Amino acid sequence: MKKYKADIIVTLKKGVRDPQGAAVDTVLKRTGIQEIAQVQTGKFFTLDVTGSDETNAKAKLDTICREVLSNPVLESYKVERFVEL
Amino acid sequence: MKAGIIVFPGTNCDIDTEKACKYFGWETEFIWHDDTELNKYDIIFLPGGFSYGDYIRAGRLAKFSPAVMSLKDYVKTKRGFLVGICNGFQILCETKLLPGILSTNTNTKFICEEVELEVNHDGFPKSVKFAIAHGEGRYIADEQTLQGIQAKNMIFLRYKNNPNGSVLDIAGLYDKENRIIGMMPHPERGVFSETGNIDGKYFFEMLNKALTKETVAAT
């Protein structure tokens, strides 16, 4: 059994309004730091996943991302890092 | 008539719901989220609150609790009514028992106020006032889902002055075929005159009528 460490970022899908991102954008504009920053908020997760090989562990990670960490109706996820421990 | 109220760590509207059920003379029990024996209930409530701290997103972790997983069978066998209020509505959407999803309010604020609602149900006043209290109540669904919702006449409640940015002003859905109701407003907070609002009674009366008819038919 091999063990891997993965970093996952979950963000709202394109076209889904991100009110928290918009609020940060407004603050940046108001303070004059940056005119339009296109801020997008999201969530970061880091976790260990085991598997017989890389393909198996990645498939498991995919299920975790789809079923637990994100909701495909409005969110998408991206595996930022996947390394063997 | 037997009502069950599912309680998660973080649920906080369970006692309000119990009091409302008892007011209508229903035998009422709390169901711990680990329980899977749901068939003895004629109606099951998923009450408001912050199940599992609403970690990851509202209703997300509750969907994996044994009680919620058993709800699918409860619905499939058409045993009784399933009502999700506030966090309960979020859980119903997360489990896909109702279509769409609830996301952060457009104004990013937790909104706690009384709102006017337009009701789409026979035997119910056309307009009522219910309390809302949520940070993630903006109903979202894709075009295809919305068409399905409208074709099945599932929109039960609409906001008159949309407070959270919900698409089509949707505040509540009613899947009549599977007898599932999900709504962001809190009818259980409008049963006793002490709360300054008794419009919630209409909702419980509606359920009472539907369930009584059934009990009579069964005997």
Side-chain angles (χ1 to χ4, degrees), chain B residues 170-203:
Chain B
I170 292 173
L173 296 176
Y174 186 176
D175 176 350
K176 293 182 189 75
E177 199 187 317
N178 294 308
R179 296 192 292 179
I180 306 173
I181 303 173
M183 59 208 286
M184 285 317 291
H186 287 270
E188 82 282 12
R189 294 189 190 178
V191 172
F192 300 96
S193 53
E194 289 90 333
T195 60
N197 177 329
I198 50 164
D199 280 3
K201 278 186 181 175
Y202 295 119
F203 180 70

PDB file of all heavy atoms in Angstrom, chain B residues 170-203:
ATOM      1  N   ILE B 170     -36.970  31.729  -5.310  1.00  0.00           N
ATOM      2  CA  ILE B 170     -37.357  30.466  -4.653  1.00  0.00           C
ATOM      3  C   ILE B 170     -36.970  30.451  -3.170  1.00  0.00           C
ATOM      4  O   ILE B 170     -35.811  30.634  -2.812  1.00  0.00           O
ATOM      5  CB  ILE B 170     -36.741  29.251  -5.387  1.00  0.00           C
ATOM      6  CG1 ILE B 170     -37.384  29.104  -6.772  1.00  0.00           C
ATOM      7  CG2 ILE B 170     -36.913  27.956  -4.568  1.00  0.00           C
ATOM      8  CD1 ILE B 170     -36.744  28.053  -7.657  1.00  0.00           C
ATOM      9  N   ALA B 171     -37.980  30.215  -2.312  1.00  0.00           N
ATOM     10  CA  ALA B 171     -37.740  30.110  -0.870  1.00  0.00           C
ATOM     11  C   ALA B 171     -38.027  28.702  -0.374  1.00  0.00           C
ATOM     12  O   ALA B 171     -37.565  28.301   0.692  1.00  0.00           O
ATOM     13  CB  ALA B 171     -38.623  31.104  -0.131  1.00  0.00           C
ATOM     14  N   GLY B 172     -38.807  27.946  -1.166  1.00  0.00           N
ATOM     15  CA  GLY B 172     -39.147  26.593  -0.748  1.00  0.00           C
ATOM     16  C   GLY B 172     -39.639  25.763  -1.910  1.00  0.00           C
ATOM     17  O   GLY B 172     -40.258  26.282  -2.836  1.00  0.00           O
ATOM     18  N   LEU B 173     -39.342  24.461  -1.854  1.00  0.00           N
ATOM     19  CA  LEU B 173     -39.774  23.536  -2.902  1.00  0.00           C
ATOM     20  C   LEU B 173     -40.641  22.437  -2.300  1.00  0.00           C
ATOM     21  O   LEU B 173     -40.469  22.065  -1.141  1.00  0.00           O
ATOM     22  CB  LEU B 173     -38.555  22.881  -3.581  1.00  0.00           C
ATOM     23  CG  LEU B 173     -37.591  23.782  -4.348  1.00  0.00           C
ATOM     24  CD1 LEU B 173     -36.410  22.962  -4.842  1.00  0.00           C
ATOM     25  CD2 LEU B 173     -38.272  24.482  -5.511  1.00  0.00           C
ATOM     26  N   TYR B 174     -41.572  21.931  -3.107  1.00  0.00           N
ATOM     27  CA  TYR B 174     -42.437  20.849  -2.653  1.00  0.00           C
ATOM     28  C   TYR B 174     -42.498  19.805  -3.769  1.00  0.00           C
ATOM     29  O   TYR B 174     -43.049  20.069  -4.825  1.00  0.00           O
ATOM     30  CB  TYR B 174     -43.828  21.414  -2.345  1.00  0.00           C
ATOM     31  CG  TYR B 174     -44.825  20.448  -1.728  1.00  0.00           C
ATOM     32  CD1 TYR B 174     -46.091  20.896  -1.334  1.00  0.00           C
ATOM     33  CD2 TYR B 174     -44.521  19.113  -1.511  1.00  0.00           C
ATOM     34  CE1 TYR B 174     -47.025  20.033  -0.765  1.00  0.00           C
ATOM     35  CE2 TYR B 174     -45.440  18.246  -0.942  1.00  0.00           C
ATOM     36  CZ  TYR B 174     -46.690  18.709  -0.576  1.00  0.00           C
ATOM     37  OH  TYR B 174     -47.614  17.854  -0.019  1.00  0.00           O
ATOM     38  N   ASP B 175     -41.894  18.662  -3.514  1.00  0.00           N
ATOM     39  CA  ASP B 175     -41.947  17.561  -4.458  1.00  0.00           C
ATOM     40  C   ASP B 175     -43.138  16.704  -4.058  1.00  0.00           C
ATOM     41  O   ASP B 175     -43.050  15.872  -3.152  1.00  0.00           O
ATOM     42  CB  ASP B 175     -40.627  16.761  -4.373  1.00  0.00           C
ATOM     43  CG  ASP B 175     -40.630  15.530  -5.258  1.00  0.00           C
ATOM     44  OD1 ASP B 175     -41.703  15.180  -5.795  1.00  0.00           O
ATOM     45  OD2 ASP B 175     -39.562  14.908  -5.397  1.00  0.00           O
ATOM     46  N   LYS B 176     -44.283  16.937  -4.718  1.00  0.00           N
ATOM     47  CA  LYS B 176     -45.538  16.282  -4.299  1.00  0.00           C
ATOM     48  C   LYS B 176     -45.503  14.775  -4.548  1.00  0.00           C
ATOM     49  O   LYS B 176     -46.098  14.002  -3.811  1.00  0.00           O
ATOM     50  CB  LYS B 176     -46.725  16.922  -5.007  1.00  0.00           C
ATOM     51  CG  LYS B 176     -46.927  18.359  -4.538  1.00  0.00           C
ATOM     52  CD  LYS B 176     -48.131  19.019  -5.172  1.00  0.00           C
ATOM     53  CE  LYS B 176     -48.173  20.494  -4.855  1.00  0.00           C
ATOM     54  NZ  LYS B 176     -47.211  21.314  -5.599  1.00  0.00           N
ATOM     55  N   GLU B 177     -44.795  14.377  -5.584  1.00  0.00           N
ATOM     56  CA  GLU B 177     -44.725  12.968  -5.927  1.00  0.00           C
ATOM     57  C   GLU B 177     -44.049  12.169  -4.801  1.00  0.00           C
ATOM     58  O   GLU B 177     -44.525  11.119  -4.389  1.00  0.00           O
ATOM     59  CB  GLU B 177     -43.926  12.842  -7.216  1.00  0.00           C
ATOM     60  CG  GLU B 177     -44.141  11.552  -7.944  1.00  0.00           C
ATOM     61  CD  GLU B 177     -43.178  11.455  -9.117  1.00  0.00           C
ATOM     62  OE1 GLU B 177     -42.998  12.468  -9.831  1.00  0.00           O
ATOM     63  OE2 GLU B 177     -42.592  10.377  -9.280  1.00  0.00           O
ATOM     64  N   ASN B 178     -42.932  12.710  -4.298  1.00  0.00           N
ATOM     65  CA  ASN B 178     -42.190  12.000  -3.246  1.00  0.00           C
ATOM     66  C   ASN B 178     -42.475  12.544  -1.848  1.00  0.00           C
ATOM     67  O   ASN B 178     -41.898  12.081  -0.870  1.00  0.00           O
ATOM     68  CB  ASN B 178     -40.694  12.075  -3.534  1.00  0.00           C
ATOM     69  CG  ASN B 178     -40.339  11.319  -4.785  1.00  0.00           C
ATOM     70  OD1 ASN B 178     -40.692  10.160  -4.929  1.00  0.00           O
ATOM     71  ND2 ASN B 178     -39.669  11.985  -5.707  1.00  0.00           N
ATOM     72  N   ARG B 179     -43.342  13.523  -1.791  1.00  0.00           N
ATOM     73  CA  ARG B 179     -43.728  14.163  -0.524  1.00  0.00           C
ATOM     74  C   ARG B 179     -42.525  14.702   0.270  1.00  0.00           C
ATOM     75  O   ARG B 179     -42.316  14.363   1.433  1.00  0.00           O
ATOM     76  CB  ARG B 179     -44.563  13.203   0.318  1.00  0.00           C
ATOM     77  CG  ARG B 179     -45.868  12.888  -0.402  1.00  0.00           C
ATOM     78  CD  ARG B 179     -46.818  12.197   0.489  1.00  0.00           C
ATOM     79  NE  ARG B 179     -46.356  10.851   0.827  1.00  0.00           N
ATOM     80  CZ  ARG B 179     -47.022  10.044   1.613  1.00  0.00           C
ATOM     81  NH1 ARG B 179     -48.133  10.425   2.165  1.00  0.00           N
ATOM     82  NH2 ARG B 179     -46.561   8.841   1.872  1.00  0.00           N
ATOM     83  N   ILE B 180     -41.728  15.485  -0.428  1.00  0.00           N
ATOM     84  CA  ILE B 180     -40.580  16.133   0.218  1.00  0.00           C
ATOM     85  C   ILE B 180     -40.764  17.644   0.133  1.00  0.00           C
ATOM     86  O   ILE B 180     -41.011  18.184  -0.942  1.00  0.00           O
ATOM     87  CB  ILE B 180     -39.249  15.760  -0.479  1.00  0.00           C
ATOM     88  CG1 ILE B 180     -39.103  14.239  -0.571  1.00  0.00           C
ATOM     89  CG2 ILE B 180     -38.066  16.375   0.252  1.00  0.00           C
ATOM     90  CD1 ILE B 180     -37.915  13.789  -1.384  1.00  0.00           C
ATOM     91  N   ILE B 181     -40.653  18.304   1.272  1.00  0.00           N
ATOM     92  CA  ILE B 181     -40.749  19.766   1.310  1.00  0.00           C
ATOM     93  C   ILE B 181     -39.454  20.320   1.877  1.00  0.00           C
ATOM     94  O   ILE B 181     -38.969  19.860   2.910  1.00  0.00           O
ATOM     95  CB  ILE B 181     -41.939  20.233   2.192  1.00  0.00           C
ATOM     96  CG1 ILE B 181     -43.253  19.621   1.693  1.00  0.00           C
ATOM     97  CG2 ILE B 181     -42.035  21.763   2.219  1.00  0.00           C
ATOM     98  CD1 ILE B 181     -44.440  19.897   2.592  1.00  0.00           C
ATOM     99  N   GLY B 182     -38.885  21.283   1.186  1.00  0.00           N
ATOM    100  CA  GLY B 182     -37.686  21.950   1.687  1.00  0.00           C
ATOM    101  C   GLY B 182     -37.903  23.444   1.628  1.00  0.00           C
ATOM    102  O   GLY B 182     -38.425  23.959   0.638  1.00  0.00           O
ATOM    103  N   MET B 183     -37.563  24.145   2.693  1.00  0.00           N
ATOM    104  CA  MET B 183     -37.782  25.590   2.717  1.00  0.00           C
ATOM    105  C   MET B 183     -36.775  26.299   3.618  1.00  0.00           C
ATOM    106  O   MET B 183     -36.379  25.759   4.646  1.00  0.00           O
ATOM    107  CB  MET B 183     -39.202  25.886   3.188  1.00  0.00           C
ATOM    108  CG  MET B 183     -39.520  25.334   4.567  1.00  0.00           C
ATOM    109  SD  MET B 183     -41.259  24.974   4.777  1.00  0.00           S
ATOM    110  CE  MET B 183     -41.880  26.603   4.917  1.00  0.00           C
ATOM    111  N   MET B 184     -36.339  27.489   3.206  1.00  0.00           N
ATOM    112  CA  MET B 184     -35.445  28.265   4.056  1.00  0.00           C
ATOM    113  C   MET B 184     -36.202  28.919   5.213  1.00  0.00           C
ATOM    114  O   MET B 184     -35.685  28.990   6.318  1.00  0.00           O
ATOM    115  CB  MET B 184     -34.677  29.322   3.237  1.00  0.00           C
ATOM    116  CG  MET B 184     -33.557  28.772   2.372  1.00  0.00           C
ATOM    117  SD  MET B 184     -32.511  27.515   3.139  1.00  0.00           S
ATOM    118  CE  MET B 184     -31.642  28.463   4.367  1.00  0.00           C
ATOM    119  N   PRO B 185     -37.420  29.450   5.014  1.00  0.00           N
ATOM    120  CA  PRO B 185     -38.140  30.074   6.143  1.00  0.00           C
ATOM    121  C   PRO B 185     -38.532  29.062   7.229  1.00  0.00           C
ATOM    122  O   PRO B 185     -38.619  27.867   6.961  1.00  0.00           O
ATOM    123  CB  PRO B 185     -39.392  30.653   5.473  1.00  0.00           C
ATOM    124  CG  PRO B 185     -39.052  30.765   4.036  1.00  0.00           C
ATOM    125  CD  PRO B 185     -38.152  29.601   3.748  1.00  0.00           C
ATOM    126  N   HIS B 186     -38.781  29.604   8.420  1.00  0.00           N
ATOM    127  CA  HIS B 186     -39.048  28.775   9.605  1.00  0.00           C
ATOM    128  C   HIS B 186     -40.520  28.831  10.029  1.00  0.00           C
ATOM    129  O   HIS B 186     -40.871  29.662  10.861  1.00  0.00           O
ATOM    130  CB  HIS B 186     -38.211  29.289  10.783  1.00  0.00           C
ATOM    131  CG  HIS B 186     -36.758  28.985  10.668  1.00  0.00           C
ATOM    132  ND1 HIS B 186     -36.197  27.844  11.165  1.00  0.00           N
ATOM    133  CD2 HIS B 186     -35.746  29.692  10.108  1.00  0.00           C
ATOM    134  CE1 HIS B 186     -34.896  27.855  10.935  1.00  0.00           C
ATOM    135  NE2 HIS B 186     -34.589  28.962  10.289  1.00  0.00           N
ATOM    136  N   PRO B 187     -41.368  27.929   9.546  1.00  0.00           N
ATOM    137  CA  PRO B 187     -42.770  27.954   9.994  1.00  0.00           C
ATOM    138  C   PRO B 187     -42.917  27.618  11.472  1.00  0.00           C
ATOM    139  O   PRO B 187     -43.848  28.081  12.127  1.00  0.00           O
ATOM    140  CB  PRO B 187     -43.438  26.895   9.116  1.00  0.00           C
ATOM    141  CG  PRO B 187     -42.340  26.009   8.650  1.00  0.00           C
ATOM    142  CD  PRO B 187     -41.119  26.851   8.571  1.00  0.00           C
ATOM    143  N   GLU B 188     -41.972  26.831  12.012  1.00  0.00           N
ATOM    144  CA  GLU B 188     -42.083  26.425  13.426  1.00  0.00           C
ATOM    145  C   GLU B 188     -41.898  27.615  14.368  1.00  0.00           C
ATOM    146  O   GLU B 188     -42.248  27.542  15.530  1.00  0.00           O
ATOM    147  CB  GLU B 188     -41.092  25.297  13.743  1.00  0.00           C
ATOM    148  CG  GLU B 188     -39.652  25.699  14.035  1.00  0.00           C
ATOM    149  CD  GLU B 188     -38.833  26.044  12.799  1.00  0.00           C
ATOM    150  OE1 GLU B 188     -39.411  26.198  11.703  1.00  0.00           O
ATOM    151  OE2 GLU B 188     -37.605  26.184  12.929  1.00  0.00           O
ATOM    152  N   ARG B 189     -41.357  28.713  13.845  1.00  0.00           N
ATOM    153  CA  ARG B 189     -41.206  29.908  14.688  1.00  0.00           C
ATOM    154  C   ARG B 189     -42.459  30.777  14.625  1.00  0.00           C
ATOM    155  O   ARG B 189     -42.477  31.870  15.176  1.00  0.00           O
ATOM    156  CB  ARG B 189     -39.997  30.733  14.227  1.00  0.00           C
ATOM    157  CG  ARG B 189     -38.693  29.987  14.439  1.00  0.00           C
ATOM    158  CD  ARG B 189     -37.492  30.864  14.196  1.00  0.00           C
ATOM    159  NE  ARG B 189     -36.290  30.045  14.191  1.00  0.00           N
ATOM    160  CZ  ARG B 189     -35.072  30.516  13.955  1.00  0.00           C
ATOM    161  NH1 ARG B 189     -34.906  31.812  13.703  1.00  0.00           N
ATOM    162  NH2 ARG B 189     -34.038  29.719  13.976  1.00  0.00           N
ATOM    163  N   GLY B 190     -43.473  30.308  13.930  1.00  0.00           N
ATOM    164  CA  GLY B 190     -44.704  31.094  13.816  1.00  0.00           C
ATOM    165  C   GLY B 190     -45.909  30.284  14.222  1.00  0.00           C
ATOM    166  O   GLY B 190     -46.903  30.228  13.500  1.00  0.00           O
ATOM    167  N   VAL B 191     -45.828  29.621  15.362  1.00  0.00           N
ATOM    168  CA  VAL B 191     -46.955  28.812  15.822  1.00  0.00           C
ATOM    169  C   VAL B 191     -47.572  29.416  17.092  1.00  0.00           C
ATOM    170  O   VAL B 191     -48.773  29.423  17.280  1.00  0.00           O
ATOM    171  CB  VAL B 191     -46.518  27.342  16.058  1.00  0.00           C
ATOM    172  CG1 VAL B 191     -47.617  26.534  16.725  1.00  0.00           C
ATOM    173  CG2 VAL B 191     -46.129  26.687  14.727  1.00  0.00           C
ATOM    174  N   PHE B 192     -46.741  29.958  17.943  1.00  0.00           N
ATOM    175  CA  PHE B 192     -47.234  30.504  19.212  1.00  0.00           C
ATOM    176  C   PHE B 192     -47.266  32.033  19.154  1.00  0.00           C
ATOM    177  O   PHE B 192     -46.304  32.654  18.666  1.00  0.00           O
ATOM    178  CB  PHE B 192     -46.347  30.030  20.358  1.00  0.00           C
ATOM    179  CG  PHE B 192     -46.316  28.531  20.478  1.00  0.00           C
ATOM    180  CD1 PHE B 192     -45.294  27.783  19.890  1.00  0.00           C
ATOM    181  CD2 PHE B 192     -47.339  27.864  21.138  1.00  0.00           C
ATOM    182  CE1 PHE B 192     -45.281  26.406  19.973  1.00  0.00           C
ATOM    183  CE2 PHE B 192     -47.329  26.475  21.223  1.00  0.00           C
ATOM    184  CZ  PHE B 192     -46.307  25.743  20.639  1.00  0.00           C
ATOM    185  N   SER B 193     -48.352  32.623  19.653  1.00  0.00           N
ATOM    186  CA  SER B 193     -48.522  34.075  19.538  1.00  0.00           C
ATOM    187  C   SER B 193     -47.406  34.850  20.243  1.00  0.00           C
ATOM    188  O   SER B 193     -47.117  35.988  19.900  1.00  0.00           O
ATOM    189  CB  SER B 193     -49.888  34.498  20.077  1.00  0.00           C
ATOM    190  OG  SER B 193     -50.034  33.993  21.382  1.00  0.00           O
ATOM    191  N   GLU B 194     -46.727  34.202  21.205  1.00  0.00           N
ATOM    192  CA  GLU B 194     -45.622  34.870  21.918  1.00  0.00           C
ATOM    193  C   GLU B 194     -44.512  35.297  20.957  1.00  0.00           C
ATOM    194  O   GLU B 194     -43.756  36.213  21.228  1.00  0.00           O
ATOM    195  CB  GLU B 194     -44.997  33.932  22.967  1.00  0.00           C
ATOM    196  CG  GLU B 194     -45.868  33.674  24.173  1.00  0.00           C
ATOM    197  CD  GLU B 194     -46.786  32.480  24.002  1.00  0.00           C
ATOM    198  OE1 GLU B 194     -47.152  32.146  22.856  1.00  0.00           O
ATOM    199  OE2 GLU B 194     -47.157  31.886  25.036  1.00  0.00           O
ATOM    200  N   THR B 195     -44.395  34.595  19.827  1.00  0.00           N
ATOM    201  CA  THR B 195     -43.329  34.937  18.887  1.00  0.00           C
ATOM    202  C   THR B 195     -43.725  36.101  17.974  1.00  0.00           C
ATOM    203  O   THR B 195     -42.931  36.563  17.169  1.00  0.00           O
ATOM    204  CB  THR B 195     -42.953  33.725  17.999  1.00  0.00           C
ATOM    205  OG1 THR B 195     -44.118  33.336  17.272  1.00  0.00           O
ATOM    206  CG2 THR B 195     -42.436  32.557  18.803  1.00  0.00           C
ATOM    207  N   GLY B 196     -44.978  36.547  18.103  1.00  0.00           N
ATOM    208  CA  GLY B 196     -45.423  37.697  17.309  1.00  0.00           C
ATOM    209  C   GLY B 196     -45.839  37.323  15.891  1.00  0.00           C
ATOM    210  O   GLY B 196     -46.066  38.201  15.061  1.00  0.00           O
ATOM    211  N   ASN B 197     -45.927  36.044  15.625  1.00  0.00           N
ATOM    212  CA  ASN B 197     -46.311  35.611  14.280  1.00  0.00           C
ATOM    213  C   ASN B 197     -46.934  34.226  14.403  1.00  0.00           C
ATOM    214  O   ASN B 197     -46.374  33.338  15.039  1.00  0.00           O
ATOM    215  CB  ASN B 197     -45.042  35.548  13.406  1.00  0.00           C
ATOM    216  CG  ASN B 197     -45.318  35.043  12.000  1.00  0.00           C
ATOM    217  OD1 ASN B 197     -46.218  34.240  11.754  1.00  0.00           O
ATOM    218  ND2 ASN B 197     -44.531  35.509  11.051  1.00  0.00           N
ATOM    219  N   ILE B 198     -48.102  34.050  13.786  1.00  0.00           N
ATOM    220  CA  ILE B 198     -48.713  32.710  13.860  1.00  0.00           C
ATOM    221  C   ILE B 198     -49.023  32.157  12.463  1.00  0.00           C
ATOM    222  O   ILE B 198     -49.802  31.223  12.311  1.00  0.00           O
ATOM    223  CB  ILE B 198     -49.978  32.676  14.759  1.00  0.00           C
ATOM    224  CG1 ILE B 198     -50.949  33.784  14.386  1.00  0.00           C
ATOM    225  CG2 ILE B 198     -49.622  32.742  16.225  1.00  0.00           C
ATOM    226  CD1 ILE B 198     -52.351  33.579  14.948  1.00  0.00           C
ATOM    227  N   ASP B 199     -48.375  32.721  11.449  1.00  0.00           N
ATOM    228  CA  ASP B 199     -48.596  32.241  10.072  1.00  0.00           C
ATOM    229  C   ASP B 199     -48.077  30.816   9.876  1.00  0.00           C
ATOM    230  O   ASP B 199     -48.524  30.105   8.979  1.00  0.00           O
ATOM    231  CB  ASP B 199     -47.921  33.167   9.057  1.00  0.00           C
ATOM    232  CG  ASP B 199     -48.762  34.413   8.785  1.00  0.00           C
ATOM    233  OD1 ASP B 199     -49.825  34.547   9.434  1.00  0.00           O
ATOM    234  OD2 ASP B 199     -48.350  35.236   7.949  1.00  0.00           O
ATOM    235  N   GLY B 200     -47.132  30.415  10.707  1.00  0.00           N
ATOM    236  CA  GLY B 200     -46.555  29.082  10.587  1.00  0.00           C
ATOM    237  C   GLY B 200     -47.594  27.989  10.782  1.00  0.00           C
ATOM    238  O   GLY B 200     -47.435  26.860  10.306  1.00  0.00           O
ATOM    239  N   LYS B 201     -48.674  28.338  11.493  1.00  0.00           N
ATOM    240  CA  LYS B 201     -49.742  27.362  11.739  1.00  0.00           C
ATOM    241  C   LYS B 201     -50.319  26.831  10.442  1.00  0.00           C
ATOM    242  O   LYS B 201     -50.685  25.654  10.351  1.00  0.00           O
ATOM    243  CB  LYS B 201     -50.868  28.023  12.529  1.00  0.00           C
ATOM    244  CG  LYS B 201     -50.629  28.091  14.017  1.00  0.00           C
ATOM    245  CD  LYS B 201     -51.884  28.638  14.674  1.00  0.00           C
ATOM    246  CE  LYS B 201     -51.699  28.743  16.168  1.00  0.00           C
ATOM    247  NZ  LYS B 201     -52.873  29.383  16.788  1.00  0.00           N
ATOM    248  N   TYR B 202     -50.400  27.688   9.443  1.00  0.00           N
ATOM    249  CA  TYR B 202     -50.962  27.242   8.157  1.00  0.00           C
ATOM    250  C   TYR B 202     -50.186  26.055   7.616  1.00  0.00           C
ATOM    251  O   TYR B 202     -50.744  25.135   7.041  1.00  0.00           O
ATOM    252  CB  TYR B 202     -50.917  28.377   7.110  1.00  0.00           C
ATOM    253  CG  TYR B 202     -51.782  29.555   7.445  1.00  0.00           C
ATOM    254  CD1 TYR B 202     -51.224  30.820   7.630  1.00  0.00           C
ATOM    255  CD2 TYR B 202     -53.168  29.418   7.554  1.00  0.00           C
ATOM    256  CE1 TYR B 202     -52.010  31.918   7.925  1.00  0.00           C
ATOM    257  CE2 TYR B 202     -53.971  30.519   7.854  1.00  0.00           C
ATOM    258  CZ  TYR B 202     -53.384  31.763   8.040  1.00  0.00           C
ATOM    259  OH  TYR B 202     -54.163  32.839   8.331  1.00  0.00           O
ATOM    260  N   PHE B 203     -48.859  26.131   7.804  1.00  0.00           N
ATOM    261  CA  PHE B 203     -48.003  25.069   7.273  1.00  0.00           C
ATOM    262  C   PHE B 203     -48.270  23.747   7.995  1.00  0.00           C
ATOM    263  O   PHE B 203     -48.458  22.701   7.373  1.00  0.00           O
ATOM    264  CB  PHE B 203     -46.534  25.464   7.402  1.00  0.00           C
ATOM    265  CG  PHE B 203     -45.578  24.428   6.890  1.00  0.00           C
ATOM    266  CD1 PHE B 203     -45.480  24.156   5.539  1.00  0.00           C
ATOM    267  CD2 PHE B 203     -44.793  23.689   7.773  1.00  0.00           C
ATOM    268  CE1 PHE B 203     -44.620  23.183   5.062  1.00  0.00           C
ATOM    269  CE2 PHE B 203     -43.915  22.716   7.314  1.00  0.00           C
ATOM    270  CZ  PHE B 203     -43.836  22.461   5.952  1.00  0.00           C
TER     271      PHE B 203
END
